[in-house]
Amino acid sequence: MQFQRKSLVLAAAFVSLFASVNARADWVQSTDPLVVQAKPEMNQVQAQNPPGFTWARHSTGPASYEIEITPVGGTPTKAVVERNWYLPTKALALGNYTWRVRPVGTNDWSSLRTFSITSRSNVFEVPDNATLRNRILSKARPRSLPASVTPFSTWNYDKRTTLEPYLSRLGNEVKAQITAVPSLSDSRWSIVISSPLTAAMASQQTDVRQRINEASRQMEAAALMWRLKGESVYLTEALRRGDELAALNPAGPTSYVNQDQATRQIAWGLAKTIDLLAGSLDATRKARWLGSIKARTNEMYNNLAGDNGRLDQYPFDSHGNTSLVFLVLISTLTLGDIPEAQNWFDFSFRAYALSPNPWGGPEGGYANGTAYAEYAAGYLLALWDPLTHASGVNFFGKPWTLGFLDFAMEFIPPGARTHAFGDASETKPDPRVFRAFASRMWSPRAAWYVKNTTGMEDAMSLLQAQYPLPVTDTKVYAAPSDSAYYPTVGWVAMHSNLASSSRISTFFKSSPYGSFNHSHGDQNGLLLSSAGQPLLVKAGWYDWYGSPYWTDWYHQTRSQNAITFDGGKGQMVTGYREQLQRNGRITAFTAQPSYDYAEGDATPSYGGQLTVAKRQVWHLREAGNAILVRDRLSSTVARTYEWNMHTPAIMTVENGQNVKVVAGTQSLCVRSLNTNASFAKWIGPGAKTNVVEDHGAFYLKADANATAEYLVLLDVGCKKPSVNISSSGSVRTVTVGGQTVTIN
């Protein structure tokens, strides 16, 4: 999907009205980058109909807000809400709109903002809480399963042919894990977690998460096998694991404070297993399990509901947002069993439906990188299937979801050997995750991805999914675009031909998210691969978040294919909100059949150390898919700039302007087109065991306030295209292999 902002053409009278009220201060848009943005933003066609509305809280802390939505030339509709967001329950008519909001009882209206609903706006309606609750409570247990999940004895020939291998695999797994998965107790984890986190604490946190995940999976898988096969060995195992998890102290090492991932998994796993076992669970045991769920979930709810819903105002909390969707699922499955579940549900369901992630906008970008996007897809798959079946709200049909899948296909297409940008980007993608995610959608692009990837889906998730899978109803296959721009995260993908396994792929990033959370100091950074083989790579590996290695090397600009200066000084990646302020942005993007072009401005990311840090990238398809990169750099003091590059094989330095790398059957020749930049290797802190990395840079000296320029050609396949540079006044023409680029 190629996503670009489009200007709306509005009536002159309407524009005049907007101009007259826009002069005063606009309180809904906070200057704090950690605070939620006012949306819909100005002049945007909405991907979703109805759109979600968000705004920064008013400084007076009002108990409620009145929002007014007006079609151009029509009558306004109004709603009063207690939180700083609004999600209409019904789709809006096509047309142009304004919206504004005020604290109830005041006349302090926000400035008018304009948006548009067009035929490109996909309908995604979420009923009110009461309607949703009644719908869920009316569904017989197990409410987490679709009607197509029935006992094995009822399966017809086609269903047996498709699913019996998965059923056999899951049954064998459960039986093998009866003895392989250790019994759990609080005494297993003796370290008291405190700040700052040490390596020993991090190791225990990992063990808690892994042991709880495998025990809860064993419990749920056994319960599912009992429902499908009816063999007592499965019921016995499900009950044993449930008893163990329910016996863990909610205030102990698996508490929300000590290990939030563990406590939410325990509560969710018990709720899901109660639902799966339904009438097979005795009343005494069920009450004990529900008590554990209640204790753990109340702690989650109290944390998230603090400050009238802390994520409403401060959404950038990765663990908090994940806990929110767990709260949605737990409350959905325990409605009618736990009185507090109604409060949990009313607080969380529609808030989550409004915005399932804070790491990008409606086009589906994911600022934390594709490794974390894959992790997100994995847990969304496990949570959205039962949520969709229980509530009737199909989260796989949300417009953001298809955009999210498109984003994954652009940056980790079939055959990709590494992830892109951010933490764990050096790891290998698991195409089974997004393949399973895509299989829940009705989309030619989702169908194309499923067709072009292999691997068996996880047996437990497939056996609980709708049969047959929704993707089987799509008979048309269409690859995503060969180029894509995701404006809210500042990512650009440029492919020679995305549908081809021999594609050349260039990824460019200049992100408004800066180095926040799992992002890195890689604004204006590049990644390059050919036929799936990485050629320009991210250096280092992800040991654990915030480790000394992560802080001093992995997170830093010097480990990226980006600009540093004076011996490896780079973008400023310390602080918290400062990481969002020291950012980048894509300032231009063009996609044409013969070329793609993107420009990024990373100047703010250097925190005042540089006065100009801009990069332009041309992907020249007619020049054999050569990539031309231009950097402009300036500072108030004299600098020696470094155009860093990292490769997965040892580089050959042919001379000061030419470097060659051969990785597997693929090659890359890097040529500096300005002779005053000279290449030299440098030594990094060392690669992971059995991994080859090489590091180097083109060095360029510049006086104070002078503009330094790099002009570098990335020749994939070392085709050695001819290059000619001519000037006419302030305009230069660069011709690469017969294809011309004009530079001002």
Side-chain angles (χ1 to χ4, degrees):
M1 178 188 68
Q2 180 179 320
F3 190 100
Q4 293 178 271
R5 285 191 171 93
K6 305 285 186 180
S7 296
L8 303 178
V9 179
L10 302 177
F14 173 61
V15 174
S16 176
L17 171 65
F18 169 74
S20 69
V21 300
N22 196 41
R24 56 186 177 76
D26 192 14
W27 59 266
V28 301
Q29 186 63 58
S30 173
T31 58
D32 185 344
L34 295 174
V35 171
V36 68
Q37 299 291 300
K39 294 181 180 179
E41 299 176 73
M42 283 299 300
N43 299 338
Q44 285 188 336
V45 174
Q46 298 303 292
Q48 177 179 300
N49 184 15
F53 297 81
T54 59
W55 57 89
R57 290 172 176 165
H58 195 274
S59 59
T60 59
S64 56
Y65 297 90
E66 181 182 33
I67 183 171
E68 181 181 85
I69 304 168
T70 306
V72 174
T75 303
T77 59
K78 299 181 180 182
V80 174
V81 294
E82 295 178 352
R83 293 161 70 178
N84 56 319
W85 57 267
Y86 175 59
L87 180 61
T89 58
K90 295 295 182 181
L92 306 180
L94 303 187
N96 297 322
Y97 289 82
T98 66
W99 75 276
R100 62 179 183 168
V101 65
R102 66 178 175 179
V104 168
T106 78
N107 199 35
D108 195 6
W109 286 105
S110 66
S111 296
L112 284 173
R113 282 171 167 76
T114 64
F115 68 92
S116 181
I117 301 294
T118 73
S119 59
R120 295 190 292 120
S121 307
N122 294 314
V123 173
F124 179 75
E125 296 178 336
V126 182
D128 61 81
N129 283 330
T131 300
L132 286 166
R133 281 190 269 106
N134 290 335
R135 181 188 294 175
I136 292 164
L137 288 168
S138 67
K139 193 174 189 301
R141 292 194 183 276
R143 61 176 65 145
S144 62
L145 297 181
S148 61
V149 177
T150 59
F152 172 70
S153 60
T154 67
W155 292 5
N156 61 26
Y157 176 80
D158 288 341
K159 191 171 183 179
R160 287 194 178 205
T161 301
T162 302
L163 294 183
E164 193 166 6
Y166 292 89
L167 184 70
S168 176
R169 196 170 87 192
L170 187 63
N172 291 335
E173 176 193 325
V174 171
K175 290 176 180 178
Q177 295 289 75
I178 289 174
T179 55
V181 174
S183 297
L184 298 181
S185 67
D186 293 314
S187 61
R188 179 184 178 94
W189 303 294
S190 59
I191 299 176
V192 177
I193 303 299
S194 61
S195 183
L197 194 66
T198 65
M201 292 180 197
S203 177
Q204 177 173 291
Q205 295 286 69
T206 299
D207 187 68
V208 170
R209 182 181 68 251
Q210 291 176 343
R211 299 293 81 78
I212 294 300
N213 284 347
E214 69 182 7
S216 62
R217 176 183 172 84
Q218 176 71 351
M219 172 180 62
E220 182 183 342
L224 178 62
M225 288 302 300
W226 162 249
R227 174 155 293 279
L228 295 176
K229 293 298 291 286
E231 297 175 10
S232 60
V233 62
Y234 299 122
L235 177 60
T236 300
E237 177 67 356
L239 298 177
R240 180 168 78 95
R241 296 296 175 179
D243 288 342
E244 285 183 4
L245 291 172
L248 294 174
N249 183 1
T254 62
S255 70
Y256 190 73
V257 172
N258 283 331
Q259 228 302 0
D260 62 325
Q261 294 165 311
T263 208
R264 71 194 185 203
Q265 186 64 34
I266 292 169
W268 154 244
L270 288 171
K272 182 72 178 297
T273 303
I274 289 172
D275 186 63
L276 288 174
L277 293 178
S280 300
L281 189 63
D282 63 272
T284 301
R285 179 177 271 115
K286 180 179 179 180
R288 188 166 65 249
W289 291 13
L290 289 172
S292 175
I293 296 170
K294 177 181 174 179
R296 292 181 181 277
T297 309
N298 264 333
E299 194 168 9
M300 292 169 53
Y301 169 73
N302 290 337
N303 177 273
L304 296 174
D307 191 27
N308 196 31
R310 62 182 180 84
L311 296 177
D312 295 351
Q313 181 76 344
Y314 296 102
F316 298 124
D317 178 345
S318 58
H319 282 231
N321 278 279
T322 306
S323 293
L324 182 65
V325 65
F326 274 82
L327 183 62
V328 173
L329 262 294
I330 294 164
S331 61
T332 296
L333 294 188
T334 57
L335 280 172
D337 286 332
I338 299 176
E340 289 83 354
Q342 179 170 327
N343 288 336
W344 305 340
F345 181 88
D346 288 352
F347 169 78
S348 63
F349 191 101
R350 301 189 84 254
Y352 177 71
L354 174 84
S355 178
N357 104 98
W359 310 116
E363 81 275 22
Y366 201 84
N368 276 345
T370 64
Y372 271 79
E374 183 183 290
Y375 304 155
Y379 77 72
L380 291 179
L381 186 69
L383 298 172
W384 280 6
D385 263 345
L387 182 59
T388 295
H389 304 323
S391 70
V393 177
N394 180 16
F395 281 83
F396 291 101
K398 188 175 173 68
W400 173 85
T401 307
L402 182 56
F404 181 53
L405 176 64
D406 284 339
F407 173 80
M409 290 190 287
E410 291 286 352
F411 291 96
I412 42 172
R417 301 185 196 179
T418 60
H419 278 289
F421 300 119
D423 283 342
S425 58
E426 75 283 357
T427 60
K428 184 178 181 180
D430 184 350
R432 296 174 300 176
V433 176
F434 273 107
R435 188 176 194 273
F437 197 78
S439 72
R440 270 67 171 174
M441 299 182 196
W442 296 267
S443 157
R445 297 191 299 278
W448 174 87
Y449 186 75
V450 170
K451 182 180 180 181
N452 284 276
T453 51
T454 58
M456 296 181 72
E457 181 180 335
D458 175 71
M460 188 169 74
S461 70
L462 184 61
L463 291 169
Q464 297 182 80
Q466 178 183 332
Y467 175 84
L469 290 169
V471 76
T472 60
D473 293 330
T474 305
K475 306 305 180 186
V476 178
Y477 305 93
S481 171
D482 290 334
S483 55
Y485 165 42
Y486 292 83
T488 62
V489 298
W491 287 36
V492 171
M494 306 174 183
H495 302 280
S496 58
N497 180 0
L498 190 145
S500 170
S501 61
S502 60
R503 75 184 76 86
I504 294 168
S505 301
T506 306
F507 303 143
F508 179 50
K509 172 188 173 185
S510 199
S511 177
Y513 284 81
S515 58
F516 191 76
N517 202 250
H518 293 291
S519 295
H520 289 186
D522 55 4
Q523 314 322 313
N524 283 1
L526 288 170
L527 297 170
L528 177 65
S529 66
S530 178
Q533 170 63 56
L535 294 170
L536 291 182
V537 301
K538 163 78 182 78
W541 75 92
Y542 187 34
D543 55 353
W544 48 278
Y545 185 82
S547 75
Y549 176 85
W550 183 92
T551 301
D552 296 337
W553 167 246
Y554 187 67
H555 191 219
Q556 296 285 339
T557 308
R558 201 176 188 217
S559 67
Q560 328 286 335
N561 300 300
I563 299 294
T564 57
F565 55 89
D566 297 346
K569 297 176 184 177
Q571 296 164 20
M572 299 183 72
V573 296
T574 56
Y576 185 56
R577 62 171 36 83
E578 294 85 356
Q579 293 176 313
L580 286 167
Q581 295 167 319
R582 297 165 180 159
N583 58 17
R585 64 190 180 100
I586 300 296
T587 54
F589 171 73
T590 301
Q592 300 291 336
S594 61
Y595 74 95
D596 295 322
Y597 169 73
E599 179 179 340
D601 185 355
T603 307
S605 68
Y606 291 90
Q609 300 173 101
L610 303 182
T611 55
V612 176
K614 296 183 178 181
R615 172 170 280 182
Q616 296 165 282
V617 181
W618 293 264
H619 184 144
L620 304 174
R621 292 191 177 89
E622 292 180 350
N625 293 295
I627 295 95
L628 182 65
V629 184
R630 181 195 185 203
D631 288 273
R632 287 169 291 159
L633 306 156
S634 185
S635 173
T636 57
V637 298
R639 302 284 193 195
T640 297
Y641 296 104
E642 297 131 8
W643 199 99
N644 294 292
M645 53 183 284
H646 308 274
T647 60
I650 301 302
M651 293 180 253
T652 300
V653 182
E654 298 177 338
N655 53 52
Q657 278 70 51
N658 289 274
V659 184
K660 182 176 182 178
V661 58
V662 178
T665 60
Q666 303 301 312
S667 62
L668 171 68
C669 289
V670 183
R671 187 192 321 179
S672 174
L673 301 183
N674 49 327
T675 57
N676 55 340
S678 184
F679 188 86
K681 290 191 183 186
W682 51 267
I683 298 174
K688 196 173 185 179
T689 304
N690 298 322
V691 173
V692 175
E693 288 180 353
D694 207 8
H695 320 281
F698 287 102
Y699 292 84
L700 180 62
K701 292 184 178 181
D703 294 333
N705 298 313
T707 298
E709 181 188 68
Y710 284 102
L711 196 59
V712 177
L713 183 68
L714 305 178
D715 172 16
V716 182
C718 295
K719 303 179 182 76
K720 305 293 185 183
S722 61
V723 178
N724 180 68
I725 302 175
S726 60
S727 299
S728 177
S730 61
V731 178
R732 278 177 298 162
T733 300
V734 181
T735 303
V736 179
Q739 188 165 3
T740 298
V741 170
T742 300
I743 298 177
N744 293 318

